Amino acid sequence: MTALRQRMIEDMQLRNLSTETQRAYLHYITGLARFYQTSPEHLSLEELREYQLYLINERQYSAESVNHFVVSAKFLYNVTLETPWSEDALPRCRVPHKLPVVLSATEVSEFFQHVSTIRYRAALMTAYGAGLRVSEVVALQIGDIDSQRGLIRIRQGKGKKDRYAMLSPRLLEVLRCWFRSQHPAGQRPKASPEDWLFPRMAQRTPHEHRFAADRLPRSGASRRPEQARHRPHPAPLCRVRDYAARIRTKWFEALGI
């Protein structure tokens, strides 16, 4: 590990950046160093601009990916190397704004009818109905379900922030069915509020869940499973069934369950 890489990692740790953010920053800076076959500290602003154009024109990176590189480069040069560059030295790409197409109530019902296993249905409905990410669903504990107030507590979600999500009566009933299936009457041990709601899913690391989400197919306006509620298809129900089967299969493969 070079001294510059170690210093950048320490700067990110001092600012308490998440592991995923640190990994992303290092990924883009490593690509920059490999492109020029030299340490980034020897590169000029013009060379960074040329590399940014290379990402856009040759590699055909999306606007979001190019902006990730810009943020990573600004951190390295403005924070770690303390280069006196202005804030707009590296321009960001304008990201297209697209409206999601939402599944109808009938299509949503048809989707979940094809998830026959109660555990998978409960996990998918939690992500869909409460708007949770994959890593947030698998990190839920029994004590996070507040049935009296109709809330779900998400601990340390994106940006390391806690928040609450709505818990619908239908989702609550599904979660109760899932809990009863795991703890039959007469054989029900005392459950702790700190027990995982989805035990097997919770054994994976946040990076593994993030990688699993990225393996899902790109479709519509979104590609992440936690955004499945925005994954529309205004097609006949027979096509919705096929679509639901493909998504369900990818979910199971990605989560390793």
Side-chain angles (χ1 to χ4, degrees), residues 185-212:
Q187 307 176 11
R188 187 172 302 174
K190 185 177 180 181
S192 169
E194 297 181 355
D195 289 345
W196 299 113
L197 186 59
F198 302 104
R200 292 187 182 179
M201 301 181 185
Q203 295 174 355
R204 311 186 87 184
T205 65
H207 173 61
E208 289 174 325
H209 288 297
R210 181 66 175 271
F211 175 73

Side-chain angles (χ1 to χ4, degrees), residues 23 48 51 69 103 129-130 149 154 167 197 202 227 257:
R23 184 179 291 109
L48 264 67
Y51 181 71
F69 163 73
L103 288 170
R149 295 191 296 168
I154 297 91
L167 174 65
L197 186 59
Q227 296 173 339
I257 53 180

Side-chain angles (χ1 to χ4, degrees), residues 68-88:
H68 284 321
F69 163 73
V70 171
V71 173
S72 305
K74 284 185 175 180
F75 185 91
L76 172 65
Y77 288 94
N78 291 345
V79 177
T80 302
L81 294 176
E82 299 181 352
T83 307
W85 288 349
S86 62
E87 187 64 25
D88 56 350

Side-chain angles (χ1 to χ4, degrees), residues 3-253:
L4 178 61
R5 183 185 181 95
Q6 181 63 37
R7 181 58 182 259
M8 184 176 177
I9 293 175
E10 292 173 354
D11 286 337
M12 291 188 290
Q13 292 175 344
L14 287 173
R15 287 156 181 80
N16 198 26
L17 299 185
S18 69
T19 304
E20 291 300 312
T21 300
Q22 294 183 38
R23 184 179 291 109
Y25 282 14
L26 293 175
H27 166 75
Y28 285 105
I29 298 304
T30 300
L32 174 66
R34 288 176 178 174
F35 181 78
Y36 284 107
Q37 293 296 307
T38 187
S39 175
E41 60 185 319
H42 303 308
L43 300 178
S44 65
L45 180 59
E46 183 62 25
E47 288 171 316
L48 264 67
R49 181 178 179 275
E50 292 177 358
Y51 181 71
Q52 190 176 357
L53 290 172
Y54 164 77
L55 295 180
I56 297 172
N57 298 326
E58 300 296 331
R59 298 295 300 276
Q60 296 185 350
Y61 274 26
S62 66
E64 292 88 348
S65 296
V66 175
N67 288 342
H68 284 321
F69 163 73
V70 171
V71 173
S72 305
K74 284 185 175 180
F75 185 91
L76 172 65
Y77 288 94
N78 291 345
V79 177
T80 302
L81 294 176
E82 299 181 352
T83 307
W85 288 349
S86 62
E87 187 64 25
D88 56 350
L90 288 175
R92 290 171 176 262
C93 291
R94 185 172 60 181
V95 179
H97 178 69
K98 299 180 180 179
L99 290 175
V101 185
V102 183
L103 288 170
S104 67
T106 304
E107 291 169 333
V108 172
S109 177
E110 186 77 11
F111 179 93
F112 287 117
Q113 285 177 7
H114 285 77
V115 184
S116 56
T117 307
I118 182 62
R119 174 174 51 175
Y120 304 150
R121 181 183 297 179
L124 284 168
M125 291 187 69
T126 303
Y128 184 94
L132 305 188
R133 299 172 177 84
V134 176
S135 57
E136 294 170 345
V137 172
V138 300
L140 287 176
Q141 299 175 353
I142 295 177
D144 295 332
I145 308 301
D146 190 340
S147 58
Q148 294 184 348
R149 295 191 296 168
L151 296 173
I152 300 177
R153 181 180 180 180
I154 297 91
R155 303 171 185 267
Q156 298 296 288
K158 186 174 182 179
K160 296 185 179 180
K161 297 179 181 178
D162 291 354
R163 74 178 194 276
Y164 284 97
M166 299 300 296
L167 174 65
S168 67
R170 182 179 180 184
L171 177 57
L172 176 60
E173 184 59 32
V174 171
L175 292 177
R176 282 174 171 169
C177 290
W178 158 242
F179 181 82
R180 287 194 293 266
S181 69
Q182 293 297 109
H183 305 85
Q187 307 176 11
R188 187 172 302 174
K190 185 177 180 181
S192 169
E194 297 181 355
D195 289 345
W196 299 113
L197 186 59
F198 302 104
R200 292 187 182 179
M201 301 181 185
Q203 295 174 355
R204 311 186 87 184
T205 65
H207 173 61
E208 289 174 325
H209 288 297
R210 181 66 175 271
F211 175 73
D214 290 338
R215 290 172 54 192
L216 291 169
R218 297 174 183 266
S219 174
S222 174
R223 67 184 178 94
R224 296 196 181 280
E226 63 269 18
Q227 296 173 339
R229 60 192 182 281
H230 300 318
R231 200 184 287 274
H233 212 302
L237 290 182
C238 60
R239 295 180 63 185
V240 173
R241 285 195 295 269
D242 295 339
Y243 172 73
R246 292 197 305 271
I247 294 298
R248 185 180 67 246
T249 302
K250 290 296 181 180
W251 256 79
F252 301 161
E253 292 177 352

